[in-house]
Amino acid sequence: MRRFLHAIGLLLALALPLAAQEVPAEPGAAKISVSQSAIAAEGRDRGKPRPLDITVATSRAVPFRTYFLADPPRLVVDFRDLDFRGAKPETMPGADQVPGLRWGNFREGWSRLVVELAGPYAMKNALQSAENGASALHLRIEPVKDKDFVVRPDALAALWDLPQSTVPPAKPRAATEASTRPLRIAIDPGHGGIDPGAQVGAISEAAVMLGFTRELTEVLQASGFEVIPTRIDDSFVPLERRMTKARAAGADLFLSFHADALPAGQAAGATIYIWNSDANDRAADELASRHDRDDILSGVDLTGTDDEVAQVLMDLARTENHPRSESFAKMLAAELSQQGFDMHRRPVRGAAFSVLKSPDIPSVLIELGFLTDASDRANLFDPDWRGRMSQSIARAIGIWSKDEAKRAELLRK
Ligand SMILES: [Zn+2]
């Protein structure tokens, strides 16, 4: 697996665009003290994993649990009622001693710290100390051989991460239903919680997308569409669960919104992605695998859980569904370029984004722009641009749904 850090080192003095992104701290939540926390490696650096002492200082003692995950090796510490907001992992002393460090909200009342490791480790000590009201969690982990690497078994992980298996299969919207209920659009703001997505200075993709989709939701509802959000606050939602949420709600269309980072000059302008596992497109591949990696690092790897038969059936269903995703993508691209939006020179592209894998819901991932591109960034921070973008998306959905109705009509004849 490729190893790269998600955060990019650009510093920009831009204010956050939308006040709505600040979710108030839960009353009574403990706070992390980054400057009092640290990661220290023991001994000399000989390019091999070394014993690590990890200290997480908090304003008071909180319940926690630790475990390891593999591929890549990671230490995960889940905390009850610990507020990480405003604290940056890269400012923690010793953060550079490990290949990666991230934290954030994971689910209601729980937050998560993930320490990426250079190899397999075992827990030697986990102690929480309290002094003068403040508290610190001291973890000592030491390198072990592969065979001694104990990772959390799937059964436990399932309690946290697996999509509900009882979710009823999506009912395709019957033609007769067309006039009786509004079109349901699943709106998926990319990233969230422990996974901030692309970061440029104080700006995170997760926050910008949440702000944008809140505005978009209002526009879509005003246009008569029903909206099913996959997340409504700064919380972590695994990719698979985003799809199962949409399916459980009987969504007719799934739209995932992103504004990622790519090295300067590699990408600018709005780009619309549809599922294609064979796309031979380096930049798109990199983006797609980065998103899967974010999901894996933040939560638990669910890839490979489908058995082969299910996989084949999914592929078949996807083949039927694919032209519907593609037609929406093309209609949206046409609408956006007609409205004068800056578009990538190849605006509709294929990529293996896991979130687009739904076999039965037309799904499209929209990179509204790239946070690494100055003019894209300016657009995302311009309320007028965002408003016009929302209106264009609503119009494209309207055009597409009429086309779908015609198609359904033809199928019935
Ligand atoms: Zn993204």
Side-chain angles (χ1 to χ4, degrees):
M1 186 178 278
R2 263 180 287 173
R3 300 189 152 263
F4 45 76
L5 285 175
H6 195 240
I8 49 164
L10 289 172
L11 279 169
L12 281 158
L14 280 173
L16 278 172
L18 301 150
Q21 286 150 17
E22 272 306 314
V23 189
E26 277 172 54
K31 298 278 289 176
I32 184 175
S33 164
V34 183
S35 58
Q36 305 292 310
S37 303
I39 297 179
E42 189 183 276
R44 239 197 268 160
D45 186 2
R46 297 175 198 278
K48 281 193 186 142
R50 291 182 284 166
L52 294 173
D53 289 297
I54 301 165
T55 305
V56 183
T58 54
S59 57
R60 65 172 167 76
V62 289
F64 69 93
R65 54 184 153 194
T66 69
Y67 50 93
F68 292 94
L69 292 172
D71 301 317
R74 290 150 283 169
L75 167 68
V76 178
V77 190
D78 286 331
F79 295 95
R80 177 86 202 160
D81 291 332
L82 178 60
D83 191 355
F84 279 103
R85 272 169 303 189
K88 292 192 167 301
E90 63 271 21
T91 61
M92 176 161 156
D96 55 348
Q97 299 286 345
V98 289
L101 179 68
R102 58 169 67 191
W103 57 52
N105 293 339
F106 186 66
R107 50 178 286 178
E108 194 66 43
W110 287 89
S111 50
R112 173 171 285 191
L113 171 123
V114 180
V115 184
E116 233 185 294
L117 302 168
Y121 274 81
M123 182 68 62
K124 286 292 155 198
N125 254 320
L127 287 169
Q128 200 163 39
S129 65
E131 223 176 278
N132 304 328
S135 175
L137 174 63
H138 306 277
L139 304 172
R140 163 89 175 177
I141 59 173
E142 293 176 4
V144 292
K145 294 211 173 74
D146 273 333
K147 66 173 175 56
D148 299 320
F149 187 40
V150 181
V151 297
R152 186 176 194 168
D154 275 354
L156 272 173
L159 291 176
W160 287 77
D161 281 300
L162 275 185
Q164 290 149 332
S165 55
T166 49
V167 170
K171 270 189 265 145
R173 203 164 68 121
T176 48
E177 234 187 316
S179 51
T180 58
R181 79 157 172 85
L183 205 70
R184 288 190 189 129
I185 316 294
I187 295 294
D188 176 46
H191 311 277
I194 186 172
D195 167 20
Q199 283 178 285
V200 176
I203 310 160
S204 81
E205 182 186 356
V208 177
M209 291 305 101
L210 187 61
F212 175 79
T213 54
R214 279 180 180 155
E215 295 174 354
L216 174 65
T217 295
E218 281 178 26
V219 171
L220 293 183
Q221 285 168 342
S223 310
F225 301 119
E226 224 174 87
V227 171
I228 297 143
T230 59
R231 72 173 171 101
I232 51 169
D233 54 20
D234 184 26
S235 56
F236 172 72
V237 183
L239 296 177
E240 301 256 1
R241 195 178 295 154
R242 294 171 193 250
M243 291 184 284
T244 49
K245 265 191 183 180
R247 172 164 304 113
D252 302 301
L253 181 65
F254 179 95
L255 303 179
S256 187
F257 289 91
H258 291 256
D260 279 283
L262 278 180
Q266 263 196 36
T271 318
I272 303 158
Y273 289 95
I274 49 178
W275 169 262
N276 181 357
S277 56
D278 309 317
N280 190 13
D281 180 330
R282 206 168 48 85
D285 275 358
E286 183 176 319
L287 277 181
S289 62
R290 187 182 303 178
H291 282 96
D292 283 2
R293 185 178 162 76
D294 282 343
D295 203 49
I296 289 166
L297 285 181
S298 308
V300 175
D301 185 5
L302 290 174
T303 51
T305 50
D306 310 329
D307 66 41
E308 252 173 77
V309 177
Q311 199 65 57
V312 171
L313 289 174
M314 297 253 286
D315 284 346
L316 276 177
R318 220 173 272 139
T319 313
E320 282 179 15
N321 189 43
H322 188 77
R324 304 172 64 207
S325 304
E326 196 173 19
S327 84
F328 176 75
K330 284 182 174 159
M331 284 169 189
L332 178 60
E335 171 69 25
L336 293 182
S337 68
Q338 207 177 354
Q339 298 299 324
F341 284 98
D342 292 335
M343 303 285 289
H344 192 278
R345 76 192 143 74
R346 210 150 44 81
V348 178
R349 314 171 83 182
F353 283 106
S354 284
V355 78
L356 300 179
K357 263 164 97 177
S358 281
D360 43 8
I361 306 172
S363 302
V364 161
L365 185 145
I366 301 162
E367 293 279 359
L368 290 168
F370 289 86
L371 279 184
T372 26
D373 182 80
S375 89
D376 283 2
R377 221 161 40 232
N379 286 337
L380 285 162
F381 283 72
D382 174 3
D384 176 60
W385 185 94
R386 294 198 303 266
R388 287 188 297 112
M389 177 58 84
S390 291
Q391 294 291 349
S392 292
I393 292 167
R395 262 196 303 275
I397 296 172
I399 297 167
W400 177 79
S401 71
K402 284 202 189 88
D403 195 66
E404 285 273 294
K406 258 190 243 154
R407 201 183 58 96
E409 187 86 5
L410 282 174
L411 281 176
R412 272 188 298 144
K413 277 181 185 158

Coordinates of all heavy atoms in Angstrom, one line a residue, residues 213-254:
T213 N -23.0 21.6 1.6 CA -24.1 20.7 1.4 C -25.3 21.2 2.2 O -26.5 21.0 1.9 CB -23.8 19.3 1.8 OG1 -23.3 19.2 3.1 CG2 -22.8 18.7 0.8
R214 N -25.1 22.0 3.3 CA -26.2 22.6 4.0 C -26.9 23.6 3.2 O -28.1 23.6 3.1 CB -25.7 23.2 5.3 CG -25.5 22.2 6.4 CD -25.0 22.9 7.7 NE -24.8 22.0 8.8 CZ -23.9 22.1 9.8 NH1 -23.2 23.2 9.8 NH2 -23.8 21.2 10.7
E215 N -26.1 24.4 2.5 CA -26.8 25.4 1.5 C -27.5 24.6 0.4 O -28.6 25.0 0.0 CB -25.7 26.3 1.0 CG -25.0 27.2 2.1 CD -23.9 28.0 1.5 OE1 -23.5 27.8 0.3 OE2 -23.4 28.8 2.3
L216 N -26.8 23.6 -0.2 CA -27.4 22.9 -1.3 C -28.7 22.2 -0.9 O -29.7 22.2 -1.6 CB -26.4 21.8 -1.7 CG -26.9 20.8 -2.8 CD1 -27.2 21.6 -4.1 CD2 -25.9 19.7 -3.0
T217 N -28.7 21.7 0.4 CA -29.9 21.0 0.9 C -31.1 22.0 0.8 O -32.2 21.6 0.3 CB -29.7 20.5 2.3 OG1 -28.7 19.5 2.3 CG2 -31.0 19.9 2.9
E218 N -30.9 23.2 1.2 CA -32.0 24.2 1.2 C -32.5 24.4 -0.2 O -33.7 24.5 -0.5 CB -31.6 25.5 1.8 CG -31.6 25.5 3.3 CD -31.1 26.8 4.0 OE1 -31.2 27.9 3.3 OE2 -30.6 26.7 5.1
V219 N -31.5 24.6 -1.2 CA -31.9 24.8 -2.6 C -32.7 23.6 -3.1 O -33.7 23.8 -3.8 CB -30.6 25.1 -3.4 CG1 -31.0 25.1 -4.9 CG2 -30.0 26.4 -3.0
L220 N -32.2 22.4 -2.8 CA -32.9 21.2 -3.4 C -34.3 21.1 -2.8 O -35.2 20.7 -3.5 CB -32.0 20.0 -3.0 CG -30.7 19.8 -3.7 CD1 -30.0 18.5 -3.4 CD2 -30.8 20.0 -5.3
Q221 N -34.4 21.3 -1.5 CA -35.7 21.2 -0.9 C -36.7 22.2 -1.5 O -37.8 21.9 -1.8 CB -35.6 21.4 0.6 CG -35.0 20.1 1.3 CD -34.7 20.3 2.7 OE1 -34.5 21.4 3.2 NE2 -34.5 19.2 3.4
A222 N -36.1 23.4 -1.7 CA -37.0 24.5 -2.3 C -37.4 24.1 -3.7 O -38.4 24.5 -4.3 CB -36.2 25.8 -2.3
S223 N -36.6 23.2 -4.4 CA -36.9 22.8 -5.8 C -37.8 21.6 -5.7 O -38.1 21.0 -6.8 CB -35.6 22.5 -6.5 OG -34.7 23.5 -6.4
G224 N -38.2 21.1 -4.5 CA -39.2 20.0 -4.4 C -38.5 18.7 -4.3 O -39.2 17.6 -4.4
F225 N -37.2 18.6 -4.0 CA -36.6 17.3 -3.8 C -36.5 17.0 -2.3 O -36.4 17.9 -1.5 CB -35.2 17.3 -4.4 CG -35.1 17.6 -5.9 CD1 -34.4 18.7 -6.4 CD2 -35.8 16.8 -6.8 CE1 -34.4 19.0 -7.7 CE2 -35.8 17.0 -8.2 CZ -35.1 18.2 -8.6
E226 N -36.5 15.7 -2.1 CA -36.2 15.3 -0.7 C -34.8 15.0 -0.5 O -34.1 14.5 -1.4 CB -37.0 14.0 -0.5 CG -37.7 13.8 0.8 CD -38.5 12.5 0.8 OE1 -38.0 11.5 1.3 OE2 -39.7 12.5 0.4
V227 N -34.2 15.4 0.6 CA -32.7 15.3 0.8 C -32.5 14.3 1.9 O -33.1 14.4 3.0 CB -32.1 16.6 1.1 CG1 -30.6 16.4 1.5 CG2 -32.2 17.5 -0.2
I228 N -31.6 13.4 1.7 CA -31.1 12.4 2.7 C -29.7 12.7 3.0 O -28.8 12.4 2.1 CB -31.3 11.0 2.3 CG1 -32.8 10.7 2.1 CG2 -30.8 10.0 3.3 CD1 -33.1 9.8 0.9
P229 N -29.3 13.3 4.1 CA -27.9 13.6 4.3 C -27.2 12.4 4.9 O -27.8 11.6 5.7 CB -27.9 14.7 5.4 CG -29.2 14.6 6.0 CD -30.2 13.9 5.1
T230 N -26.0 12.1 4.5 CA -25.2 11.0 5.1 C -24.5 11.4 6.4 O -24.2 10.6 7.2 CB -24.2 10.5 4.1 OG1 -23.3 11.5 3.8 CG2 -24.8 9.9 2.8
R231 N -24.3 12.7 6.6 CA -23.9 13.2 7.9 C -24.3 14.6 8.0 O -24.4 15.4 7.0 CB -22.3 13.1 8.1 CG -21.5 14.1 7.3 CD -20.0 13.9 7.7 NE -19.2 14.7 6.7 CZ -18.7 15.9 7.0 NH1 -19.0 16.5 8.2 NH2 -17.9 16.6 6.1
I232 N -24.6 15.0 9.3 CA -25.2 16.4 9.5 C -24.3 17.2 10.4 O -24.6 18.4 10.6 CB -26.6 16.3 10.1 CG1 -26.6 15.4 11.3 CG2 -27.6 15.8 9.0 CD1 -27.9 15.5 12.1
D233 N -23.2 16.6 10.8 CA -22.3 17.4 11.7 C -20.9 16.9 11.5 O -20.6 16.1 10.6 CB -22.7 17.3 13.2 CG -22.8 15.8 13.6 OD1 -22.3 14.9 13.0 OD2 -23.5 15.6 14.6
D234 N -20.0 17.3 12.3 CA -18.6 16.9 12.1 C -18.3 15.6 12.7 O -17.6 15.4 13.7 CB -17.7 18.0 12.7 CG -16.2 17.7 12.5 OD1 -15.9 17.0 11.5 OD2 -15.3 18.1 13.3
S235 N -19.0 14.5 12.2 CA -18.7 13.2 12.7 C -18.2 12.3 11.6 O -18.4 12.5 10.4 CB -20.0 12.6 13.3 OG -21.1 12.7 12.4
F236 N -17.6 11.2 12.0 CA -17.0 10.3 11.1 C -18.1 9.2 10.7 O -18.7 8.6 11.5 CB -15.8 9.6 11.8 CG -15.3 8.4 10.9 CD1 -14.5 8.7 9.8 CD2 -15.5 7.1 11.3 CE1 -14.0 7.7 9.0 CE2 -15.0 6.1 10.6 CZ -14.2 6.4 9.4
V237 N -18.3 9.1 9.4 CA -19.2 8.1 8.9 C -18.4 7.2 7.9 O -17.9 7.8 6.9 CB -20.4 8.7 8.2 CG1 -21.4 7.6 7.7 CG2 -21.1 9.7 9.1
P238 N -18.2 5.9 8.2 CA -17.5 5.1 7.2 C -18.1 5.1 5.8 O -19.4 5.2 5.7 CB -17.5 3.7 7.8 CG -17.9 3.9 9.3 CD -18.7 5.2 9.3
L239 N -17.3 4.9 4.8 CA -17.8 5.0 3.4 C -19.0 4.0 3.2 O -20.0 4.4 2.6 CB -16.7 4.6 2.4 CG -15.5 5.6 2.4 CD1 -14.4 5.2 1.5 CD2 -16.0 7.0 2.1
E240 N -18.9 2.8 3.7 CA -19.9 1.8 3.5 C -21.2 2.3 4.1 O -22.3 2.1 3.6 CB -19.5 0.4 4.1 CG -18.3 -0.1 3.5 CD -18.5 -1.3 2.5 OE1 -19.7 -1.6 2.2 OE2 -17.5 -1.8 2.0
R241 N -21.1 2.9 5.3 CA -22.3 3.3 6.0 C -23.0 4.4 5.2 O -24.2 4.6 5.3 CB -22.1 3.7 7.4 CG -23.4 3.7 8.2 CD -23.2 4.1 9.7 NE -22.4 3.0 10.4 CZ -21.7 3.3 11.5 NH1 -21.6 4.5 11.9 NH2 -21.1 2.3 12.0
R242 N -22.2 5.2 4.5 CA -22.8 6.3 3.7 C -23.8 5.7 2.7 O -24.9 6.2 2.4 CB -21.8 7.2 3.1 CG -20.9 7.9 4.1 CD -19.7 8.6 3.5 NE -18.8 9.1 4.5 CZ -18.6 10.3 4.9 NH1 -19.2 11.3 4.2 NH2 -17.8 10.7 5.8
M243 N -23.3 4.6 2.1 CA -24.1 4.0 1.0 C -25.3 3.3 1.6 O -26.4 3.4 1.1 CB -23.3 3.0 0.3 CG -22.2 3.6 -0.6 SD -21.4 2.4 -1.6 CE -20.3 1.7 -0.4
T244 N -25.1 2.6 2.8 CA -26.3 1.9 3.4 C -27.3 2.9 3.9 O -28.5 2.6 3.8 CB -25.8 0.9 4.5 OG1 -25.0 1.7 5.4 CG2 -25.1 -0.2 4.0
K245 N -26.9 4.0 4.3 CA -27.8 5.1 4.8 C -28.7 5.5 3.6 O -29.9 5.6 3.7 CB -27.1 6.3 5.3 CG -26.9 6.4 6.8 CD -26.4 7.7 7.2 CE -26.2 7.8 8.7 NZ -25.7 9.1 9.1
A246 N -28.1 5.7 2.5 CA -28.8 6.1 1.3 C -29.8 5.0 0.8 O -30.9 5.3 0.5 CB -27.8 6.5 0.1
R247 N -29.3 3.8 0.9 CA -30.1 2.7 0.5 C -31.3 2.5 1.4 O -32.5 2.3 0.9 CB -29.3 1.4 0.4 CG -30.2 0.2 0.2 CD -29.4 -1.1 -0.3 NE -28.6 -0.8 -1.5 CZ -27.3 -0.7 -1.5 NH1 -26.7 -1.0 -0.4 NH2 -26.7 -0.5 -2.6
A248 N -31.1 2.6 2.7 CA -32.1 2.4 3.7 C -33.2 3.4 3.5 O -34.4 3.2 3.7 CB -31.6 2.5 5.1
A249 N -32.8 4.6 3.0 CA -33.8 5.7 2.9 C -34.4 5.7 1.5 O -35.3 6.5 1.1 CB -33.2 7.0 3.1
G250 N -34.0 4.7 0.6 CA -34.6 4.6 -0.7 C -34.2 5.7 -1.6 O -35.0 6.3 -2.4
A251 N -33.0 6.2 -1.5 CA -32.5 7.3 -2.3 C -32.5 6.9 -3.8 O -32.3 5.8 -4.2 CB -31.1 7.7 -1.9
D252 N -32.8 7.9 -4.7 CA -32.9 7.7 -6.1 C -31.6 8.1 -6.8 O -31.3 7.8 -7.9 CB -34.0 8.6 -6.7 CG -35.3 8.2 -6.1 OD1 -35.7 7.1 -6.3 OD2 -36.0 9.1 -5.5
L253 N -30.8 8.9 -6.0 CA -29.5 9.5 -6.6 C -28.6 9.7 -5.4 O -29.1 10.2 -4.4 CB -29.8 10.7 -7.4 CG -28.6 11.4 -8.1 CD1 -28.0 10.6 -9.2 CD2 -29.1 12.8 -8.7
F254 N -27.3 9.4 -5.6 CA -26.4 9.6 -4.5 C -25.3 10.6 -5.0 O -24.6 10.3 -6.0 CB -25.7 8.3 -4.1 CG -24.7 8.3 -3.0 CD1 -25.1 8.1 -1.7 CD2 -23.4 8.6 -3.3 CE1 -24.1 8.1 -0.7 CE2 -22.4 8.6 -2.3 CZ -22.8 8.4 -1.0

